[in-house]
Amino acid sequence: MVVSQARRSSGAICGTRTAVGRAMAAIPGDLPGCGVAEPYWVTEVAGVRLNQGAILDCRTVAALETWVDDGLLPAAGRRRGGPAALRVAAHYDCRTRNNQPGAKVSEHGKGRAIDISAITFRDGTVLTVLEGWGRGRDGRLLRRLHRTACGPFGTVLGPEADRFHRDHFHFDTAPRRSQSYCR
């Protein structure tokens, strides 16, 4: 793990070393299958801020920390001063998959998913998934970040998965019987 780039936090949550946030009261779901028994409001992981807090369960917090430590920080390195923040496009939301009527409940509705649409670097540069995917050096970095999320997360979707994910990465920790599902 890349510890030198990560700011250690004495108030780390969910047994992680660097995830910063706070415990919340249980969230009951508005739809059957929604809700989070032990949610956390997460604001930072390994010294990288989330542009908005995200409601996640502990398994997802731990997966996010692993991806930031082992994927994002090494891949981005000192480029543009290094990653400063992640733009959260979605986190807990009691809804169906892709907001489609009749679909199964999304992992977002269980606190087991986070969508990331951009990285802000310390020099102020913003790299969006929508604009950077498939474009030179930025595209190669985004592909590497997508690939390194496979493993810590059970499901990883990006711009080539479908029309719903063309502008962000979807990471979730849905239980799987075999290896990660990455598209």
mmCIF file with all atom_site columns, all heavy atoms in Angstrom, residues 111-137:
data_model
loop_
_atom_site.group_PDB
_atom_site.id
_atom_site.type_symbol
_atom_site.label_atom_id
_atom_site.label_alt_id
_atom_site.label_comp_id
_atom_site.label_asym_id
_atom_site.label_entity_id
_atom_site.label_seq_id
_atom_site.pdbx_PDB_ins_code
_atom_site.Cartn_x
_atom_site.Cartn_y
_atom_site.Cartn_z
_atom_site.occupancy
_atom_site.B_iso_or_equiv
_atom_site.pdbx_formal_charge
_atom_site.auth_seq_id
_atom_site.auth_comp_id
_atom_site.auth_asym_id
_atom_site.auth_atom_id
_atom_site.pdbx_PDB_model_num
ATOM 1   N N   . GLY A 1 111 ? -26.297 1.029  0.244   1.00 0.00 ? 111 GLY A N   1
ATOM 2   C CA  . GLY A 1 111 ? -25.075 1.634  0.765   1.00 0.00 ? 111 GLY A CA  1
ATOM 3   C C   . GLY A 1 111 ? -23.820 0.929  0.299   1.00 0.00 ? 111 GLY A C   1
ATOM 4   O O   . GLY A 1 111 ? -22.748 1.104  0.873   1.00 0.00 ? 111 GLY A O   1
ATOM 5   N N   . ARG A 1 112 ? -23.944 0.121  -0.762  1.00 0.00 ? 112 ARG A N   1
ATOM 6   C CA  . ARG A 1 112 ? -22.810 -0.671 -1.244  1.00 0.00 ? 112 ARG A CA  1
ATOM 7   C C   . ARG A 1 112 ? -22.253 -0.187 -2.575  1.00 0.00 ? 112 ARG A C   1
ATOM 8   O O   . ARG A 1 112 ? -21.568 -0.942 -3.271  1.00 0.00 ? 112 ARG A O   1
ATOM 9   C CB  . ARG A 1 112 ? -23.232 -2.135 -1.373  1.00 0.00 ? 112 ARG A CB  1
ATOM 10  C CG  . ARG A 1 112 ? -23.621 -2.744 -0.056  1.00 0.00 ? 112 ARG A CG  1
ATOM 11  C CD  . ARG A 1 112 ? -23.768 -4.237 -0.082  1.00 0.00 ? 112 ARG A CD  1
ATOM 12  N NE  . ARG A 1 112 ? -24.807 -4.722 -0.960  1.00 0.00 ? 112 ARG A NE  1
ATOM 13  C CZ  . ARG A 1 112 ? -25.603 -5.751 -0.664  1.00 0.00 ? 112 ARG A CZ  1
ATOM 14  N NH1 . ARG A 1 112 ? -25.474 -6.396 0.479   1.00 0.00 ? 112 ARG A NH1 1
ATOM 15  N NH2 . ARG A 1 112 ? -26.514 -6.147 -1.531  1.00 0.00 ? 112 ARG A NH2 1
ATOM 16  N N   . ALA A 1 113 ? -22.533 1.088  -2.947  1.00 0.00 ? 113 ALA A N   1
ATOM 17  C CA  . ALA A 1 113 ? -22.052 1.581  -4.235  1.00 0.00 ? 113 ALA A CA  1
ATOM 18  C C   . ALA A 1 113 ? -21.684 3.054  -4.160  1.00 0.00 ? 113 ALA A C   1
ATOM 19  O O   . ALA A 1 113 ? -22.273 3.819  -3.396  1.00 0.00 ? 113 ALA A O   1
ATOM 20  C CB  . ALA A 1 113 ? -23.126 1.370  -5.304  1.00 0.00 ? 113 ALA A CB  1
ATOM 21  N N   . ILE A 1 114 ? -20.704 3.399  -4.985  1.00 0.00 ? 114 ILE A N   1
ATOM 22  C CA  . ILE A 1 114 ? -20.306 4.793  -5.159  1.00 0.00 ? 114 ILE A CA  1
ATOM 23  C C   . ILE A 1 114 ? -19.971 4.998  -6.630  1.00 0.00 ? 114 ILE A C   1
ATOM 24  O O   . ILE A 1 114 ? -19.370 4.118  -7.266  1.00 0.00 ? 114 ILE A O   1
ATOM 25  C CB  . ILE A 1 114 ? -19.113 5.174  -4.242  1.00 0.00 ? 114 ILE A CB  1
ATOM 26  C CG1 . ILE A 1 114 ? -18.841 6.675  -4.307  1.00 0.00 ? 114 ILE A CG1 1
ATOM 27  C CG2 . ILE A 1 114 ? -17.881 4.334  -4.557  1.00 0.00 ? 114 ILE A CG2 1
ATOM 28  C CD1 . ILE A 1 114 ? -17.905 7.176  -3.214  1.00 0.00 ? 114 ILE A CD1 1
ATOM 29  N N   . ASP A 1 115 ? -20.394 6.124  -7.174  1.00 0.00 ? 115 ASP A N   1
ATOM 30  C CA  . ASP A 1 115 ? -20.071 6.483  -8.552  1.00 0.00 ? 115 ASP A CA  1
ATOM 31  C C   . ASP A 1 115 ? -19.105 7.656  -8.518  1.00 0.00 ? 115 ASP A C   1
ATOM 32  O O   . ASP A 1 115 ? -19.337 8.643  -7.813  1.00 0.00 ? 115 ASP A O   1
ATOM 33  C CB  . ASP A 1 115 ? -21.328 6.901  -9.317  1.00 0.00 ? 115 ASP A CB  1
ATOM 34  C CG  . ASP A 1 115 ? -22.289 5.747  -9.580  1.00 0.00 ? 115 ASP A CG  1
ATOM 35  O OD1 . ASP A 1 115 ? -21.929 4.583  -9.331  1.00 0.00 ? 115 ASP A OD1 1
ATOM 36  O OD2 . ASP A 1 115 ? -23.411 6.033  -10.042 1.00 0.00 ? 115 ASP A OD2 1
ATOM 37  N N   . ILE A 1 116 ? -18.027 7.537  -9.291  1.00 0.00 ? 116 ILE A N   1
ATOM 38  C CA  . ILE A 1 116 ? -16.999 8.574  -9.371  1.00 0.00 ? 116 ILE A CA  1
ATOM 39  C C   . ILE A 1 116 ? -16.979 9.101  -10.804 1.00 0.00 ? 116 ILE A C   1
ATOM 40  O O   . ILE A 1 116 ? -16.787 8.326  -11.749 1.00 0.00 ? 116 ILE A O   1
ATOM 41  C CB  . ILE A 1 116 ? -15.600 8.003  -9.005  1.00 0.00 ? 116 ILE A CB  1
ATOM 42  C CG1 . ILE A 1 116 ? -15.604 7.349  -7.621  1.00 0.00 ? 116 ILE A CG1 1
ATOM 43  C CG2 . ILE A 1 116 ? -14.525 9.081  -9.144  1.00 0.00 ? 116 ILE A CG2 1
ATOM 44  C CD1 . ILE A 1 116 ? -15.870 8.286  -6.475  1.00 0.00 ? 116 ILE A CD1 1
ATOM 45  N N   . SER A 1 117 ? -17.140 10.430 -10.959 1.00 0.00 ? 117 SER A N   1
ATOM 46  C CA  . SER A 1 117 ? -17.184 11.001 -12.306 1.00 0.00 ? 117 SER A CA  1
ATOM 47  C C   . SER A 1 117 ? -15.943 11.814 -12.671 1.00 0.00 ? 117 SER A C   1
ATOM 48  O O   . SER A 1 117 ? -15.752 12.127 -13.842 1.00 0.00 ? 117 SER A O   1
ATOM 49  C CB  . SER A 1 117 ? -18.430 11.871 -12.478 1.00 0.00 ? 117 SER A CB  1
ATOM 50  O OG  . SER A 1 117 ? -18.403 12.954 -11.575 1.00 0.00 ? 117 SER A OG  1
ATOM 51  N N   . ALA A 1 118 ? -15.107 12.148 -11.668 1.00 0.00 ? 118 ALA A N   1
ATOM 52  C CA  . ALA A 1 118 ? -13.920 12.954 -11.991 1.00 0.00 ? 118 ALA A CA  1
ATOM 53  C C   . ALA A 1 118 ? -12.907 12.904 -10.860 1.00 0.00 ? 118 ALA A C   1
ATOM 54  O O   . ALA A 1 118 ? -13.242 12.582 -9.713  1.00 0.00 ? 118 ALA A O   1
ATOM 55  C CB  . ALA A 1 118 ? -14.314 14.406 -12.248 1.00 0.00 ? 118 ALA A CB  1
ATOM 56  N N   . ILE A 1 119 ? -11.690 13.257 -11.211 1.00 0.00 ? 119 ILE A N   1
ATOM 57  C CA  . ILE A 1 119 ? -10.596 13.402 -10.249 1.00 0.00 ? 119 ILE A CA  1
ATOM 58  C C   . ILE A 1 119 ? -10.128 14.852 -10.348 1.00 0.00 ? 119 ILE A C   1
ATOM 59  O O   . ILE A 1 119 ? -9.898  15.358 -11.455 1.00 0.00 ? 119 ILE A O   1
ATOM 60  C CB  . ILE A 1 119 ? -9.410  12.489 -10.606 1.00 0.00 ? 119 ILE A CB  1
ATOM 61  C CG1 . ILE A 1 119 ? -9.850  11.039 -10.672 1.00 0.00 ? 119 ILE A CG1 1
ATOM 62  C CG2 . ILE A 1 119 ? -8.263  12.669 -9.605  1.00 0.00 ? 119 ILE A CG2 1
ATOM 63  C CD1 . ILE A 1 119 ? -8.906  10.175 -11.462 1.00 0.00 ? 119 ILE A CD1 1
ATOM 64  N N   . THR A 1 120 ? -9.997  15.495 -9.213  1.00 0.00 ? 120 THR A N   1
ATOM 65  C CA  . THR A 1 120 ? -9.408  16.828 -9.163  1.00 0.00 ? 120 THR A CA  1
ATOM 66  C C   . THR A 1 120 ? -7.988  16.679 -8.636  1.00 0.00 ? 120 THR A C   1
ATOM 67  O O   . THR A 1 120 ? -7.779  16.029 -7.611  1.00 0.00 ? 120 THR A O   1
ATOM 68  C CB  . THR A 1 120 ? -10.210 17.765 -8.241  1.00 0.00 ? 120 THR A CB  1
ATOM 69  O OG1 . THR A 1 120 ? -11.543 17.853 -8.732  1.00 0.00 ? 120 THR A OG1 1
ATOM 70  C CG2 . THR A 1 120 ? -9.579  19.159 -8.199  1.00 0.00 ? 120 THR A CG2 1
ATOM 71  N N   . PHE A 1 121 ? -7.032  17.260 -9.359  1.00 0.00 ? 121 PHE A N   1
ATOM 72  C CA  . PHE A 1 121 ? -5.635  17.176 -8.966  1.00 0.00 ? 121 PHE A CA  1
ATOM 73  C C   . PHE A 1 121 ? -5.252  18.398 -8.147  1.00 0.00 ? 121 PHE A C   1
ATOM 74  O O   . PHE A 1 121 ? -5.939  19.422 -8.159  1.00 0.00 ? 121 PHE A O   1
ATOM 75  C CB  . PHE A 1 121 ? -4.751  17.029 -10.203 1.00 0.00 ? 121 PHE A CB  1
ATOM 76  C CG  . PHE A 1 121 ? -4.938  15.716 -10.899 1.00 0.00 ? 121 PHE A CG  1
ATOM 77  C CD1 . PHE A 1 121 ? -5.896  15.577 -11.882 1.00 0.00 ? 121 PHE A CD1 1
ATOM 78  C CD2 . PHE A 1 121 ? -4.184  14.616 -10.547 1.00 0.00 ? 121 PHE A CD2 1
ATOM 79  C CE1 . PHE A 1 121 ? -6.095  14.351 -12.523 1.00 0.00 ? 121 PHE A CE1 1
ATOM 80  C CE2 . PHE A 1 121 ? -4.369  13.387 -11.163 1.00 0.00 ? 121 PHE A CE2 1
ATOM 81  C CZ  . PHE A 1 121 ? -5.331  13.256 -12.154 1.00 0.00 ? 121 PHE A CZ  1
ATOM 82  N N   . ARG A 1 122 ? -4.149  18.300 -7.453  1.00 0.00 ? 122 ARG A N   1
ATOM 83  C CA  . ARG A 1 122 ? -3.703  19.378 -6.557  1.00 0.00 ? 122 ARG A CA  1
ATOM 84  C C   . ARG A 1 122 ? -3.413  20.687 -7.299  1.00 0.00 ? 122 ARG A C   1
ATOM 85  O O   . ARG A 1 122 ? -3.501  21.751 -6.714  1.00 0.00 ? 122 ARG A O   1
ATOM 86  C CB  . ARG A 1 122 ? -2.501  18.932 -5.747  1.00 0.00 ? 122 ARG A CB  1
ATOM 87  C CG  . ARG A 1 122 ? -2.861  17.753 -4.836  1.00 0.00 ? 122 ARG A CG  1
ATOM 88  C CD  . ARG A 1 122 ? -2.002  17.589 -3.638  1.00 0.00 ? 122 ARG A CD  1
ATOM 89  N NE  . ARG A 1 122 ? -2.344  16.372 -2.918  1.00 0.00 ? 122 ARG A NE  1
ATOM 90  C CZ  . ARG A 1 122 ? -3.396  16.206 -2.130  1.00 0.00 ? 122 ARG A CZ  1
ATOM 91  N NH1 . ARG A 1 122 ? -4.229  17.193 -1.947  1.00 0.00 ? 122 ARG A NH1 1
ATOM 92  N NH2 . ARG A 1 122 ? -3.632  15.054 -1.523  1.00 0.00 ? 122 ARG A NH2 1
ATOM 93  N N   . ASP A 1 123 ? -3.121  20.611 -8.605  1.00 0.00 ? 123 ASP A N   1
ATOM 94  C CA  . ASP A 1 123 ? -2.897  21.848 -9.366  1.00 0.00 ? 123 ASP A CA  1
ATOM 95  C C   . ASP A 1 123 ? -4.203  22.473 -9.855  1.00 0.00 ? 123 ASP A C   1
ATOM 96  O O   . ASP A 1 123 ? -4.193  23.470 -10.563 1.00 0.00 ? 123 ASP A O   1
ATOM 97  C CB  . ASP A 1 123 ? -1.942  21.604 -10.543 1.00 0.00 ? 123 ASP A CB  1
ATOM 98  C CG  . ASP A 1 123 ? -2.550  20.775 -11.667 1.00 0.00 ? 123 ASP A CG  1
ATOM 99  O OD1 . ASP A 1 123 ? -3.718  20.308 -11.552 1.00 0.00 ? 123 ASP A OD1 1
ATOM 100 O OD2 . ASP A 1 123 ? -1.864  20.586 -12.692 1.00 0.00 ? 123 ASP A OD2 1
ATOM 101 N N   . GLY A 1 124 ? -5.344  21.870 -9.488  1.00 0.00 ? 124 GLY A N   1
ATOM 102 C CA  . GLY A 1 124 ? -6.650  22.397 -9.872  1.00 0.00 ? 124 GLY A CA  1
ATOM 103 C C   . GLY A 1 124 ? -7.236  21.774 -11.123 1.00 0.00 ? 124 GLY A C   1
ATOM 104 O O   . GLY A 1 124 ? -8.411  21.982 -11.447 1.00 0.00 ? 124 GLY A O   1
ATOM 105 N N   . THR A 1 125 ? -6.454  20.991 -11.852 1.00 0.00 ? 125 THR A N   1
ATOM 106 C CA  . THR A 1 125 ? -6.940  20.323 -13.054 1.00 0.00 ? 125 THR A CA  1
ATOM 107 C C   . THR A 1 125 ? -7.998  19.288 -12.679 1.00 0.00 ? 125 THR A C   1
ATOM 108 O O   . THR A 1 125 ? -7.831  18.545 -11.715 1.00 0.00 ? 125 THR A O   1
ATOM 109 C CB  . THR A 1 125 ? -5.782  19.607 -13.786 1.00 0.00 ? 125 THR A CB  1
ATOM 110 O OG1 . THR A 1 125 ? -4.757  20.554 -14.073 1.00 0.00 ? 125 THR A OG1 1
ATOM 111 C CG2 . THR A 1 125 ? -6.251  18.944 -15.064 1.00 0.00 ? 125 THR A CG2 1
ATOM 112 N N   . VAL A 1 126 ? -9.051  19.229 -13.470 1.00 0.00 ? 126 VAL A N   1
ATOM 113 C CA  . VAL A 1 126 ? -10.110 18.241 -13.262 1.00 0.00 ? 126 VAL A CA  1
ATOM 114 C C   . VAL A 1 126 ? -10.127 17.300 -14.463 1.00 0.00 ? 126 VAL A C   1
ATOM 115 O O   . VAL A 1 126 ? -10.215 17.752 -15.614 1.00 0.00 ? 126 VAL A O   1
ATOM 116 C CB  . VAL A 1 126 ? -11.492 18.911 -13.095 1.00 0.00 ? 126 VAL A CB  1
ATOM 117 C CG1 . VAL A 1 126 ? -12.589 17.865 -12.958 1.00 0.00 ? 126 VAL A CG1 1
ATOM 118 C CG2 . VAL A 1 126 ? -11.489 19.860 -11.905 1.00 0.00 ? 126 VAL A CG2 1
ATOM 119 N N   . LEU A 1 127 ? -10.032 16.015 -14.201 1.00 0.00 ? 127 LEU A N   1
ATOM 120 C CA  . LEU A 1 127 ? -10.099 14.986 -15.234 1.00 0.00 ? 127 LEU A CA  1
ATOM 121 C C   . LEU A 1 127 ? -11.429 14.265 -15.079 1.00 0.00 ? 127 LEU A C   1
ATOM 122 O O   . LEU A 1 127 ? -11.640 13.564 -14.088 1.00 0.00 ? 127 LEU A O   1
ATOM 123 C CB  . LEU A 1 127 ? -8.932  14.001 -15.094 1.00 0.00 ? 127 LEU A CB  1
ATOM 124 C CG  . LEU A 1 127 ? -8.967  12.753 -15.979 1.00 0.00 ? 127 LEU A CG  1
ATOM 125 C CD1 . LEU A 1 127 ? -9.046  13.127 -17.462 1.00 0.00 ? 127 LEU A CD1 1
ATOM 126 C CD2 . LEU A 1 127 ? -7.767  11.863 -15.682 1.00 0.00 ? 127 LEU A CD2 1
ATOM 127 N N   . THR A 1 128 ? -12.337 14.466 -16.043 1.00 0.00 ? 128 THR A N   1
ATOM 128 C CA  . THR A 1 128 ? -13.630 13.801 -15.975 1.00 0.00 ? 128 THR A CA  1
ATOM 129 C C   . THR A 1 128 ? -13.587 12.503 -16.772 1.00 0.00 ? 128 THR A C   1
ATOM 130 O O   . THR A 1 128 ? -12.861 12.389 -17.762 1.00 0.00 ? 128 THR A O   1
ATOM 131 C CB  . THR A 1 128 ? -14.772 14.683 -16.531 1.00 0.00 ? 128 THR A CB  1
ATOM 132 O OG1 . THR A 1 128 ? -14.599 14.852 -17.935 1.00 0.00 ? 128 THR A OG1 1
ATOM 133 C CG2 . THR A 1 128 ? -14.826 16.036 -15.817 1.00 0.00 ? 128 THR A CG2 1
ATOM 134 N N   . VAL A 1 129 ? -14.375 11.556 -16.345 1.00 0.00 ? 129 VAL A N   1
ATOM 135 C CA  . VAL A 1 129 ? -14.488 10.295 -17.069 1.00 0.00 ? 129 VAL A CA  1
ATOM 136 C C   . VAL A 1 129 ? -15.074 10.566 -18.454 1.00 0.00 ? 129 VAL A C   1
ATOM 137 O O   . VAL A 1 129 ? -14.593 10.041 -19.455 1.00 0.00 ? 129 VAL A O   1
ATOM 138 C CB  . VAL A 1 129 ? -15.339 9.279  -16.277 1.00 0.00 ? 129 VAL A CB  1
ATOM 139 C CG1 . VAL A 1 129 ? -15.587 8.017  -17.097 1.00 0.00 ? 129 VAL A CG1 1
ATOM 140 C CG2 . VAL A 1 129 ? -14.660 8.933  -14.948 1.00 0.00 ? 129 VAL A CG2 1
ATOM 141 N N   . LEU A 1 130 ? -16.076 11.417 -18.531 1.00 0.00 ? 130 LEU A N   1
ATOM 142 C CA  . LEU A 1 130 ? -16.729 11.717 -19.806 1.00 0.00 ? 130 LEU A CA  1
ATOM 143 C C   . LEU A 1 130 ? -15.759 12.306 -20.827 1.00 0.00 ? 130 LEU A C   1
ATOM 144 O O   . LEU A 1 130 ? -15.716 11.869 -21.976 1.00 0.00 ? 130 LEU A O   1
ATOM 145 C CB  . LEU A 1 130 ? -17.895 12.690 -19.578 1.00 0.00 ? 130 LEU A CB  1
ATOM 146 C CG  . LEU A 1 130 ? -18.674 13.084 -20.829 1.00 0.00 ? 130 LEU A CG  1
ATOM 147 C CD1 . LEU A 1 130 ? -19.352 11.874 -21.462 1.00 0.00 ? 130 LEU A CD1 1
ATOM 148 C CD2 . LEU A 1 130 ? -19.710 14.144 -20.486 1.00 0.00 ? 130 LEU A CD2 1
ATOM 149 N N   . GLU A 1 131 ? -14.963 13.287 -20.427 1.00 0.00 ? 131 GLU A N   1
ATOM 150 C CA  . GLU A 1 131 ? -14.065 13.965 -21.362 1.00 0.00 ? 131 GLU A CA  1
ATOM 151 C C   . GLU A 1 131 ? -12.730 13.247 -21.562 1.00 0.00 ? 131 GLU A C   1
ATOM 152 O O   . GLU A 1 131 ? -12.114 13.367 -22.612 1.00 0.00 ? 131 GLU A O   1
ATOM 153 C CB  . GLU A 1 131 ? -13.794 15.399 -20.886 1.00 0.00 ? 131 GLU A CB  1
ATOM 154 C CG  . GLU A 1 131 ? -15.033 16.276 -20.867 1.00 0.00 ? 131 GLU A CG  1
ATOM 155 C CD  . GLU A 1 131 ? -15.615 16.502 -22.251 1.00 0.00 ? 131 GLU A CD  1
ATOM 156 O OE1 . GLU A 1 131 ? -14.850 16.663 -23.215 1.00 0.00 ? 131 GLU A OE1 1
ATOM 157 O OE2 . GLU A 1 131 ? -16.861 16.515 -22.359 1.00 0.00 ? 131 GLU A OE2 1
ATOM 158 N N   . GLY A 1 132 ? -12.271 12.501 -20.552 1.00 0.00 ? 132 GLY A N   1
ATOM 159 C CA  . GLY A 1 132 ? -10.950 11.906 -20.626 1.00 0.00 ? 132 GLY A CA  1
ATOM 160 C C   . GLY A 1 132 ? -10.893 10.497 -21.180 1.00 0.00 ? 132 GLY A C   1
ATOM 161 O O   . GLY A 1 132 ? -9.863  10.069 -21.701 1.00 0.00 ? 132 GLY A O   1
ATOM 162 N N   . TRP A 1 133 ? -11.987 9.753  -21.072 1.00 0.00 ? 133 TRP A N   1
ATOM 163 C CA  . TRP A 1 133 ? -11.993 8.345  -21.487 1.00 0.00 ? 133 TRP A CA  1
ATOM 164 C C   . TRP A 1 133 ? -11.627 8.249  -22.965 1.00 0.00 ? 133 TRP A C   1
ATOM 165 O O   . TRP A 1 133 ? -12.207 8.915  -23.806 1.00 0.00 ? 133 TRP A O   1
ATOM 166 C CB  . TRP A 1 133 ? -13.365 7.727  -21.248 1.00 0.00 ? 133 TRP A CB  1
ATOM 167 C CG  . TRP A 1 133 ? -13.384 6.253  -21.451 1.00 0.00 ? 133 TRP A CG  1
ATOM 168 C CD1 . TRP A 1 133 ? -13.796 5.594  -22.568 1.00 0.00 ? 133 TRP A CD1 1
ATOM 169 C CD2 . TRP A 1 133 ? -12.981 5.251  -20.523 1.00 0.00 ? 133 TRP A CD2 1
ATOM 170 N NE1 . TRP A 1 133 ? -13.675 4.237  -22.388 1.00 0.00 ? 133 TRP A NE1 1
ATOM 171 C CE2 . TRP A 1 133 ? -13.170 3.997  -21.144 1.00 0.00 ? 133 TRP A CE2 1
ATOM 172 C CE3 . TRP A 1 133 ? -12.463 5.287  -19.222 1.00 0.00 ? 133 TRP A CE3 1
ATOM 173 C CZ2 . TRP A 1 133 ? -12.876 2.799  -20.507 1.00 0.00 ? 133 TRP A CZ2 1
ATOM 174 C CZ3 . TRP A 1 133 ? -12.169 4.092  -18.598 1.00 0.00 ? 133 TRP A CZ3 1
ATOM 175 C CH2 . TRP A 1 133 ? -12.366 2.864  -19.235 1.00 0.00 ? 133 TRP A CH2 1
ATOM 176 N N   . GLY A 1 134 ? -10.635 7.423  -23.273 1.00 0.00 ? 134 GLY A N   1
ATOM 177 C CA  . GLY A 1 134 ? -10.247 7.199  -24.667 1.00 0.00 ? 134 GLY A CA  1
ATOM 178 C C   . GLY A 1 134 ? -9.404  8.311  -25.277 1.00 0.00 ? 134 GLY A C   1
ATOM 179 O O   . GLY A 1 134 ? -9.194  8.324  -26.486 1.00 0.00 ? 134 GLY A O   1
ATOM 180 N N   . ARG A 1 135 ? -8.903  9.219  -24.460 1.00 0.00 ? 135 ARG A N   1
ATOM 181 C CA  . ARG A 1 135 ? -8.141  10.349 -24.986 1.00 0.00 ? 135 ARG A CA  1
ATOM 182 C C   . ARG A 1 135 ? -6.719  10.370 -24.433 1.00 0.00 ? 135 ARG A C   1
ATOM 183 O O   . ARG A 1 135 ? -6.482  10.866 -23.338 1.00 0.00 ? 135 ARG A O   1
ATOM 184 C CB  . ARG A 1 135 ? -8.845  11.653 -24.647 1.00 0.00 ? 135 ARG A CB  1
ATOM 185 C CG  . ARG A 1 135 ? -10.164 11.774 -25.371 1.00 0.00 ? 135 ARG A CG  1
ATOM 186 C CD  . ARG A 1 135 ? -10.626 13.204 -25.412 1.00 0.00 ? 135 ARG A CD  1
ATOM 187 N NE  . ARG A 1 135 ? -11.787 13.305 -26.277 1.00 0.00 ? 135 ARG A NE  1
ATOM 188 C CZ  . ARG A 1 135 ? -13.010 13.560 -25.847 1.00 0.00 ? 135 ARG A CZ  1
ATOM 189 N NH1 . ARG A 1 135 ? -13.239 13.761 -24.571 1.00 0.00 ? 135 ARG A NH1 1
ATOM 190 N NH2 . ARG A 1 135 ? -14.007 13.631 -26.695 1.00 0.00 ? 135 ARG A NH2 1
ATOM 191 N N   . GLY A 1 136 ? -5.788  9.837  -25.182 1.00 0.00 ? 136 GLY A N   1
ATOM 192 C CA  . GLY A 1 136 ? -4.368  9.929  -24.867 1.00 0.00 ? 136 GLY A CA  1
ATOM 193 C C   . GLY A 1 136 ? -3.983  9.511  -23.463 1.00 0.00 ? 136 GLY A C   1
ATOM 194 O O   . GLY A 1 136 ? -4.454  8.508  -22.932 1.00 0.00 ? 136 GLY A O   1
ATOM 195 N N   . ARG A 1 137 ? -3.117  10.301 -22.858 1.00 0.00 ? 137 ARG A N   1
ATOM 196 C CA  . ARG A 1 137 ? -2.575  10.000 -21.531 1.00 0.00 ? 137 ARG A CA  1
ATOM 197 C C   . ARG A 1 137 ? -3.684  9.948  -20.469 1.00 0.00 ? 137 ARG A C   1
ATOM 198 O O   . ARG A 1 137 ? -3.678  9.090  -19.597 1.00 0.00 ? 137 ARG A O   1
ATOM 199 C CB  . ARG A 1 137 ? -1.528  11.050 -21.160 1.00 0.00 ? 137 ARG A CB  1
ATOM 200 C CG  . ARG A 1 137 ? -0.795  10.745 -19.893 1.00 0.00 ? 137 ARG A CG  1
ATOM 201 C CD  . ARG A 1 137 ? 0.320   11.757 -19.659 1.00 0.00 ? 137 ARG A CD  1
ATOM 202 N NE  . ARG A 1 137 ? 1.039   11.399 -18.455 1.00 0.00 ? 137 ARG A NE  1
ATOM 203 C CZ  . ARG A 1 137 ? 1.636   12.260 -17.670 1.00 0.00 ? 137 ARG A CZ  1
ATOM 204 N NH1 . ARG A 1 137 ? 1.616   13.545 -17.958 1.00 0.00 ? 137 ARG A NH1 1
ATOM 205 N NH2 . ARG A 1 137 ? 2.266   11.855 -16.601 1.00 0.00 ? 137 ARG A NH2 1
#
